[in-house]
Amino acid sequence: MGQTVFIPRELDANEPRVAASPDTVKRLTALGFDVVVEAGAGTASRIPNEEFTKAGAAIGKAGDVSRADVVLKVRRPSEAELKAYRPGTAVIAIMDPYGNDAAVAALAKAGVTAFSMEFMPRITRAQSMDVLSSQANLAGYQAVIDAAAEYDRALPMMMTAAGTVPAAKAFIMGVGVAGLQAIATARRLGAVVTATDVRPAAKEQVASLGAKFLAVEDEEFKAAETAGGYAKEMSKEYQAKQAALTAEHIAKQDIVITTALIPGRLAPKLVSAAMVASMKPGSVIVDLAVERGGNVEGAVPGQVVTTADGVKIVGHLNVPGRVAASASLLYARNLYAFLETLVDKATKTLAVNRDDELVKATMLTNGGKVVHPAFVRAEQEPRVEPPAIPAKTMVADASAKPAAKKPAASRKPKTTGGIA
Ligand code: NAD
């Protein structure tokens, strides 16, 4: 009998995704695992139990987690859920640890080896494990679909015998993974698309997608990209110039989609209430950064707000979850790709190499302790000051955090059998 991988049903009411697909169940089985999927785990992602069974999984109940060697999840297990977990179980999920010290401590206390998928380094080898990219890509797509649904007019130009319908004008602010997909999707729907970013590399990418780039291209702009490819927080002066440039542009747009994020900071405010008010009635703004503080003044997490001037500001939560059937397939593949690297192909068992950079970057807790450098201090010296940024608003970039202290775990020798 092989080791067991368990896939629970997500308990968060706002989480329709699931951490496995029939495809990954087949692959996990081929790796030598027994796979147990909790009944109904895939329902909200349109994967019935039978599909999992056909792929080789057994359908189980929540309590089966207690015999799992590996748990694949979308969200971090709660303290209540952890009660049923066996110490030593590897738990792979989006752990969202920033500002959630108590939850991280609970993972350590439960003795599980927790891996935070959002800390996966963005290196070539780990591209297939990049949950931020796979989910942001779909969020960018869905943002345009949501905008189109709220925008009660046609997006493409239509030249008909009865006259011409003008194309909608869409402006994408922040052109990372989500923004690029938003541009591509809006173009496919026939909108006239412009986009902005503070990173110069974005300019060429925007042009290659057939959209027009608009930005304050001064000296600060030329140095706005960090070595990791992320944006820096811009100076007040730059922000003022950017606002002046975009204000006039936004007034002429039908749809604005904002995706701008800065690792470790609140999302930059890019659209002021005055800019919102300058738009025509019926215009739509989708704020994809709403869970991290929002790019748009007046955006409310989880709500579609209609302003007094008739502009709709869309602040949906968990946007990848709005396209859960697709998001789950990609997320499941991300998890499988990572788990495969943790398995000894000869013994067909878990063999976590603590010296592997992927493991170092993602391992949050192990052996009853918090081991991730960015969180180890939080455990040992409880912070006195409240975190500057609310939990849900942090960008999950562990590399942006200074290493507080070399984790004791990283001094341990490499292991080959199980998780030391
Ligand atoms: P992100 O989610 O951190 O931010 C979204 C976008 O907002 C970024 O393009 C950023 O530059 C932009 N932004 C920040 N402040 C802004 C402001 N004031 N005004 C306008 N725009 C602003 O970014 P992301 O989608 O995670 O991508 C970050 C980078 O990582 C990109 O260069 C992307 O191509 C790269 N990336 C690399 C890999 C890989 O190599 N495996 C994978 C994914 C992404």
mmCIF file of all heavy atoms in Angstrom, residues 122-123 127 130 133 173-178 196-199 205 225 228-232 234 242 259-263 268 270, ligand 1:
data_model
loop_
_atom_site.group_PDB
_atom_site.id
_atom_site.type_symbol
_atom_site.label_atom_id
_atom_site.label_comp_id
_atom_site.label_asym_id
_atom_site.label_seq_id
_atom_site.Cartn_x
_atom_site.Cartn_y
_atom_site.Cartn_z
ATOM 1 N N ARG A 122 9.879 32.380 -8.534
ATOM 2 C CA ARG A 122 9.494 32.524 -9.949
ATOM 3 C C ARG A 122 10.719 32.252 -10.818
ATOM 4 O O ARG A 122 11.254 33.158 -11.468
ATOM 5 C CB ARG A 122 8.874 33.890 -10.169
ATOM 6 C CG ARG A 122 7.444 33.877 -9.639
ATOM 7 C CD ARG A 122 6.720 35.147 -9.835
ATOM 8 N NE ARG A 122 5.306 34.863 -10.038
ATOM 9 C CZ ARG A 122 4.384 35.795 -10.120
ATOM 10 N NH1 ARG A 122 4.701 37.061 -10.040
ATOM 11 N NH2 ARG A 122 3.123 35.465 -10.303
ATOM 12 N N ILE A 123 11.146 31.006 -10.797
ATOM 13 C CA ILE A 123 12.291 30.588 -11.596
ATOM 14 C C ILE A 123 11.784 29.584 -12.635
ATOM 15 O O ILE A 123 10.697 29.022 -12.471
ATOM 16 C CB ILE A 123 13.389 29.937 -10.713
ATOM 17 C CG1 ILE A 123 12.795 28.790 -9.885
ATOM 18 C CG2 ILE A 123 14.042 30.967 -9.817
ATOM 19 C CD1 ILE A 123 13.811 28.003 -9.095
ATOM 20 N N GLN A 127 8.071 27.160 -12.880
ATOM 21 C CA GLN A 127 6.972 27.847 -13.589
ATOM 22 C C GLN A 127 5.676 27.047 -13.527
ATOM 23 O O GLN A 127 4.597 27.613 -13.372
ATOM 24 C CB GLN A 127 7.367 28.086 -15.035
ATOM 25 C CG GLN A 127 7.914 29.486 -15.239
ATOM 26 C CD GLN A 127 8.278 29.778 -16.676
ATOM 27 O OE1 GLN A 127 8.099 28.941 -17.553
ATOM 28 N NE2 GLN A 127 8.802 30.959 -16.902
ATOM 29 N N ASP A 130 3.633 27.675 -10.307
ATOM 30 C CA ASP A 130 3.388 29.071 -9.932
ATOM 31 C C ASP A 130 1.878 29.334 -9.803
ATOM 32 O O ASP A 130 1.211 29.690 -10.771
ATOM 33 C CB ASP A 130 4.032 29.957 -11.011
ATOM 34 C CG ASP A 130 3.960 31.434 -10.689
ATOM 35 O OD1 ASP A 130 3.238 31.816 -9.757
ATOM 36 O OD2 ASP A 130 4.623 32.213 -11.395
ATOM 37 N N SER A 133 0.631 32.904 -10.749
ATOM 38 C CA SER A 133 0.431 33.149 -12.184
ATOM 39 C C SER A 133 -0.802 32.434 -12.712
ATOM 40 O O SER A 133 -1.602 33.029 -13.435
ATOM 41 C CB SER A 133 1.653 32.682 -12.983
ATOM 42 O OG SER A 133 2.720 33.547 -12.772
ATOM 43 N N MET A 173 -5.018 48.957 -15.814
ATOM 44 C CA MET A 173 -3.986 49.601 -14.987
ATOM 45 C C MET A 173 -3.244 48.515 -14.189
ATOM 46 O O MET A 173 -3.826 47.868 -13.329
ATOM 47 C CB MET A 173 -4.625 50.628 -14.050
ATOM 48 C CG MET A 173 -5.443 51.661 -14.805
ATOM 49 S SD MET A 173 -6.099 52.967 -13.749
ATOM 50 C CE MET A 173 -4.635 53.991 -13.519
ATOM 51 N N GLY A 174 -1.961 48.363 -14.482
ATOM 52 C CA GLY A 174 -1.172 47.283 -13.888
ATOM 53 C C GLY A 174 -1.133 46.140 -14.880
ATOM 54 O O GLY A 174 -2.169 45.546 -15.193
ATOM 55 N N VAL A 175 0.042 45.895 -15.445
ATOM 56 C CA VAL A 175 0.130 44.911 -16.522
ATOM 57 C C VAL A 175 1.089 43.773 -16.142
ATOM 58 O O VAL A 175 2.081 43.526 -16.820
ATOM 59 C CB VAL A 175 0.555 45.578 -17.857
ATOM 60 C CG1 VAL A 175 0.198 44.648 -19.000
ATOM 61 C CG2 VAL A 175 -0.103 46.913 -18.058
ATOM 62 N N GLY A 176 0.778 43.098 -15.043
ATOM 63 C CA GLY A 176 1.480 41.858 -14.693
ATOM 64 C C GLY A 176 0.744 40.709 -15.358
ATOM 65 O O GLY A 176 0.198 40.868 -16.462
ATOM 66 N N VAL A 177 0.686 39.590 -14.703
ATOM 67 C CA VAL A 177 0.044 38.414 -15.293
ATOM 68 C C VAL A 177 -1.444 38.679 -15.536
ATOM 69 O O VAL A 177 -1.966 38.434 -16.624
ATOM 70 C CB VAL A 177 0.242 37.189 -14.369
ATOM 71 C CG1 VAL A 177 -0.460 35.968 -14.941
ATOM 72 C CG2 VAL A 177 1.738 36.902 -14.160
ATOM 73 N N ALA A 178 -2.135 39.209 -14.526
ATOM 74 C CA ALA A 178 -3.581 39.451 -14.655
ATOM 75 C C ALA A 178 -3.859 40.518 -15.709
ATOM 76 O O ALA A 178 -4.758 40.368 -16.552
ATOM 77 C CB ALA A 178 -4.171 39.873 -13.307
ATOM 78 N N THR A 196 -1.542 50.747 -18.651
ATOM 79 C CA THR A 196 -0.440 51.458 -17.998
ATOM 80 C C THR A 196 0.228 50.571 -16.968
ATOM 81 O O THR A 196 -0.391 49.652 -16.421
ATOM 82 C CB THR A 196 -0.933 52.768 -17.332
ATOM 83 O OG1 THR A 196 0.209 53.516 -16.898
ATOM 84 C CG2 THR A 196 -1.822 52.497 -16.124
ATOM 85 N N ASP A 197 1.483 50.855 -16.688
ATOM 86 C CA ASP A 197 2.227 50.183 -15.624
ATOM 87 C C ASP A 197 3.405 51.086 -15.292
ATOM 88 O O ASP A 197 3.716 52.010 -16.047
ATOM 89 C CB ASP A 197 2.712 48.787 -16.094
ATOM 90 C CG ASP A 197 2.996 47.863 -14.913
ATOM 91 O OD1 ASP A 197 3.913 48.159 -14.125
ATOM 92 O OD2 ASP A 197 2.282 46.859 -14.767
ATOM 93 N N VAL A 198 4.058 50.779 -14.156
ATOM 94 C CA VAL A 198 5.237 51.567 -13.797
ATOM 95 C C VAL A 198 6.524 50.859 -14.211
ATOM 96 O O VAL A 198 7.604 51.430 -14.122
ATOM 97 C CB VAL A 198 5.274 51.874 -12.283
ATOM 98 C CG1 VAL A 198 4.171 52.850 -11.915
ATOM 99 C CG2 VAL A 198 5.165 50.597 -11.445
ATOM 100 N N ARG A 199 6.417 49.616 -14.649
ATOM 101 C CA ARG A 199 7.616 48.879 -15.060
ATOM 102 C C ARG A 199 7.815 49.037 -16.570
ATOM 103 O O ARG A 199 6.903 48.751 -17.354
ATOM 104 C CB ARG A 199 7.479 47.390 -14.728
ATOM 105 C CG ARG A 199 7.518 47.067 -13.249
ATOM 106 C CD ARG A 199 7.373 45.571 -13.013
ATOM 107 N NE ARG A 199 6.143 45.032 -13.580
ATOM 108 C CZ ARG A 199 6.089 44.265 -14.675
ATOM 109 N NH1 ARG A 199 7.192 43.941 -15.315
ATOM 110 N NH2 ARG A 199 4.937 43.813 -15.113
ATOM 111 N N GLN A 205 5.325 44.533 -23.841
ATOM 112 C CA GLN A 205 4.325 43.459 -23.728
ATOM 113 C C GLN A 205 2.940 43.972 -24.111
ATOM 114 O O GLN A 205 2.170 43.289 -24.781
ATOM 115 C CB GLN A 205 4.320 42.906 -22.298
ATOM 116 C CG GLN A 205 5.615 42.180 -21.952
ATOM 117 C CD GLN A 205 5.782 41.922 -20.462
ATOM 118 O OE1 GLN A 205 5.072 42.492 -19.631
ATOM 119 N NE2 GLN A 205 6.735 41.081 -20.117
ATOM 120 N N GLU A 225 11.435 48.660 -11.735
ATOM 121 C CA GLU A 225 11.310 47.202 -11.601
ATOM 122 C C GLU A 225 12.395 46.654 -10.688
ATOM 123 O O GLU A 225 13.572 46.944 -10.868
ATOM 124 C CB GLU A 225 11.385 46.554 -12.991
ATOM 125 C CG GLU A 225 11.218 45.051 -12.915
ATOM 126 C CD GLU A 225 10.799 44.422 -14.254
ATOM 127 O OE1 GLU A 225 10.009 45.034 -14.983
ATOM 128 O OE2 GLU A 225 11.274 43.323 -14.545
ATOM 129 N N GLY A 228 13.522 41.135 -8.801
ATOM 130 C CA GLY A 228 12.570 40.019 -8.864
ATOM 131 C C GLY A 228 11.484 40.215 -9.908
ATOM 132 O O GLY A 228 10.617 39.365 -10.069
ATOM 133 N N GLY A 229 11.500 41.359 -10.606
ATOM 134 C CA GLY A 229 10.507 41.594 -11.658
ATOM 135 C C GLY A 229 9.255 42.300 -11.166
ATOM 136 O O GLY A 229 8.321 42.522 -11.925
ATOM 137 N N TYR A 230 9.232 42.674 -9.882
ATOM 138 C CA TYR A 230 8.046 43.329 -9.322
ATOM 139 C C TYR A 230 8.211 44.848 -9.365
ATOM 140 O O TYR A 230 9.294 45.359 -9.622
ATOM 141 C CB TYR A 230 7.837 42.887 -7.873
ATOM 142 C CG TYR A 230 7.351 41.475 -7.744
ATOM 143 C CD1 TYR A 230 8.238 40.433 -7.489
ATOM 144 C CD2 TYR A 230 6.004 41.161 -7.891
ATOM 145 C CE1 TYR A 230 7.792 39.122 -7.380
ATOM 146 C CE2 TYR A 230 5.553 39.857 -7.785
ATOM 147 C CZ TYR A 230 6.448 38.847 -7.526
ATOM 148 O OH TYR A 230 5.999 37.555 -7.430
ATOM 149 N N ALA A 231 7.107 45.547 -9.080
ATOM 150 C CA ALA A 231 7.150 47.007 -9.075
ATOM 151 C C ALA A 231 7.577 47.513 -7.701
ATOM 152 O O ALA A 231 7.304 46.883 -6.690
ATOM 153 C CB ALA A 231 5.762 47.557 -9.402
ATOM 154 N N LYS A 232 8.268 48.663 -7.703
ATOM 155 C CA LYS A 232 8.577 49.330 -6.433
ATOM 156 C C LYS A 232 7.415 50.258 -6.092
ATOM 157 O O LYS A 232 6.615 50.600 -6.973
ATOM 158 C CB LYS A 232 9.826 50.201 -6.604
ATOM 159 C CG LYS A 232 11.105 49.411 -6.748
ATOM 160 C CD LYS A 232 12.271 50.374 -6.878
ATOM 161 C CE LYS A 232 13.524 49.601 -7.199
ATOM 162 N NZ LYS A 232 14.551 50.422 -7.829
ATOM 163 N N MET A 234 6.091 53.754 -5.797
ATOM 164 C CA MET A 234 6.551 54.969 -6.462
ATOM 165 C C MET A 234 6.471 56.162 -5.501
ATOM 166 O O MET A 234 5.696 56.168 -4.551
ATOM 167 C CB MET A 234 5.713 55.227 -7.716
ATOM 168 C CG MET A 234 5.684 54.054 -8.688
ATOM 169 S SD MET A 234 7.324 53.457 -9.179
ATOM 170 C CE MET A 234 7.697 54.538 -10.576
ATOM 171 N N GLN A 242 1.491 60.605 -12.416
ATOM 172 C CA GLN A 242 0.716 59.481 -12.978
ATOM 173 C C GLN A 242 -0.781 59.810 -12.915
ATOM 174 O O GLN A 242 -1.521 59.580 -13.874
ATOM 175 C CB GLN A 242 1.025 58.220 -12.168
ATOM 176 C CG GLN A 242 0.421 56.953 -12.742
ATOM 177 C CD GLN A 242 0.640 55.733 -11.844
ATOM 178 O OE1 GLN A 242 0.750 55.872 -10.620
ATOM 179 N NE2 GLN A 242 0.711 54.567 -12.423
ATOM 180 N N THR A 259 -5.259 46.246 -11.614
ATOM 181 C CA THR A 259 -4.640 45.010 -11.098
ATOM 182 C C THR A 259 -3.340 45.311 -10.358
ATOM 183 O O THR A 259 -2.556 44.418 -10.099
ATOM 184 C CB THR A 259 -4.291 44.044 -12.263
ATOM 185 O OG1 THR A 259 -3.078 44.502 -12.885
ATOM 186 C CG2 THR A 259 -5.361 43.965 -13.314
ATOM 187 N N ALA A 260 -3.092 46.608 -10.040
ATOM 188 C CA ALA A 260 -1.752 47.009 -9.577
ATOM 189 C C ALA A 260 -1.458 46.572 -8.141
ATOM 190 O O ALA A 260 -2.238 46.832 -7.233
ATOM 191 C CB ALA A 260 -1.601 48.525 -9.703
ATOM 192 N N LEU A 261 -0.326 45.914 -7.985
ATOM 193 C CA LEU A 261 0.110 45.443 -6.667
ATOM 194 C C LEU A 261 1.593 45.723 -6.478
ATOM 195 O O LEU A 261 2.352 45.745 -7.437
ATOM 196 C CB LEU A 261 -0.134 43.944 -6.531
ATOM 197 C CG LEU A 261 -1.600 43.481 -6.512
ATOM 198 C CD1 LEU A 261 -1.655 41.959 -6.564
ATOM 199 C CD2 LEU A 261 -2.330 44.003 -5.278
ATOM 200 N N ILE A 262 1.978 45.899 -5.221
ATOM 201 C CA ILE A 262 3.391 46.044 -4.870
ATOM 202 C C ILE A 262 3.656 45.055 -3.731
ATOM 203 O O ILE A 262 2.942 45.082 -2.730
ATOM 204 C CB ILE A 262 3.703 47.481 -4.366
ATOM 205 C CG1 ILE A 262 3.268 48.515 -5.403
ATOM 206 C CG2 ILE A 262 5.187 47.641 -4.040
ATOM 207 C CD1 ILE A 262 2.949 49.847 -4.814
ATOM 208 N N PRO A 263 4.627 44.162 -3.906
ATOM 209 C CA PRO A 263 4.863 43.169 -2.854
ATOM 210 C C PRO A 263 5.066 43.794 -1.472
ATOM 211 O O PRO A 263 5.800 44.778 -1.323
ATOM 212 C CB PRO A 263 6.145 42.476 -3.314
ATOM 213 C CG PRO A 263 6.139 42.633 -4.792
ATOM 214 C CD PRO A 263 5.536 43.982 -5.047
ATOM 215 N N PRO A 268 -1.448 50.253 -4.538
ATOM 216 C CA PRO A 268 -1.448 51.708 -4.735
ATOM 217 C C PRO A 268 -2.824 52.211 -5.155
ATOM 218 O O PRO A 268 -3.518 51.554 -5.934
ATOM 219 C CB PRO A 268 -0.423 51.903 -5.865
ATOM 220 C CG PRO A 268 -0.393 50.597 -6.594
ATOM 221 C CD PRO A 268 -0.699 49.527 -5.578
ATOM 222 N N LEU A 270 -4.884 54.220 -7.396
ATOM 223 C CA LEU A 270 -4.645 54.760 -8.735
ATOM 224 C C LEU A 270 -5.837 55.546 -9.272
ATOM 225 O O LEU A 270 -5.687 56.412 -10.112
ATOM 226 C CB LEU A 270 -4.341 53.614 -9.715
ATOM 227 C CG LEU A 270 -3.112 52.751 -9.407
ATOM 228 C CD1 LEU A 270 -2.950 51.677 -10.464
ATOM 229 C CD2 LEU A 270 -1.854 53.601 -9.334
HETATM 230 P P1 NAD B 1 1.836 41.907 -9.335
HETATM 231 O O1 NAD B 1 0.608 41.105 -9.156
HETATM 232 O O2 NAD B 1 2.775 42.057 -8.210
HETATM 233 O O3 NAD B 1 1.427 43.391 -9.801
HETATM 234 C C1 NAD B 1 0.588 43.611 -10.911
HETATM 235 C C2 NAD B 1 1.146 44.735 -11.757
HETATM 236 O O4 NAD B 1 0.914 45.996 -11.095
HETATM 237 C C3 NAD B 1 2.644 44.680 -12.038
HETATM 238 O O5 NAD B 1 2.856 44.634 -13.429
HETATM 239 C C4 NAD B 1 3.164 45.962 -11.415
HETATM 240 O O6 NAD B 1 4.271 46.491 -12.116
HETATM 241 C C5 NAD B 1 1.951 46.860 -11.495
HETATM 242 N N1 NAD B 1 2.005 48.057 -10.658
HETATM 243 C C6 NAD B 1 2.459 48.198 -9.381
HETATM 244 N N2 NAD B 1 2.334 49.479 -8.975
HETATM 245 C C7 NAD B 1 1.758 50.165 -10.000
HETATM 246 C C8 NAD B 1 1.370 51.513 -10.169
HETATM 247 N N3 NAD B 1 1.548 52.426 -9.220
HETATM 248 N N4 NAD B 1 0.832 51.874 -11.351
HETATM 249 C C9 NAD B 1 0.650 50.964 -12.334
HETATM 250 N N5 NAD B 1 0.979 49.670 -12.232
HETATM 251 C C10 NAD B 1 1.546 49.275 -11.073
HETATM 252 O O7 NAD B 1 2.619 41.386 -10.605
HETATM 253 P P2 NAD B 1 2.653 39.934 -11.224
HETATM 254 O O8 NAD B 1 1.501 39.750 -12.112
HETATM 255 O O9 NAD B 1 2.879 38.956 -10.146
HETATM 256 O O10 NAD B 1 3.953 40.045 -12.129
HETATM 257 C C11 NAD B 1 5.158 40.608 -11.604
HETATM 258 C C12 NAD B 1 6.289 40.310 -12.531
HETATM 259 O O11 NAD B 1 6.656 38.950 -12.459
HETATM 260 C C13 NAD B 1 6.028 40.590 -13.991
HETATM 261 O O12 NAD B 1 7.211 41.125 -14.529
HETATM 262 C C14 NAD B 1 5.774 39.236 -14.562
HETATM 263 O O13 NAD B 1 6.027 39.165 -15.940
HETATM 264 C C15 NAD B 1 6.769 38.437 -13.763
HETATM 265 N N6 NAD B 1 6.453 37.012 -13.700
HETATM 266 C C16 NAD B 1 7.468 36.128 -13.895
HETATM 267 C C17 NAD B 1 7.207 34.772 -13.829
HETATM 268 C C18 NAD B 1 8.292 33.779 -14.039
HETATM 269 O O14 NAD B 1 9.362 34.140 -14.447
HETATM 270 N N7 NAD B 1 8.063 32.530 -13.743
HETATM 271 C C19 NAD B 1 5.941 34.324 -13.552
HETATM 272 C C20 NAD B 1 4.931 35.256 -13.332
HETATM 273 C C21 NAD B 1 5.209 36.592 -13.399
#
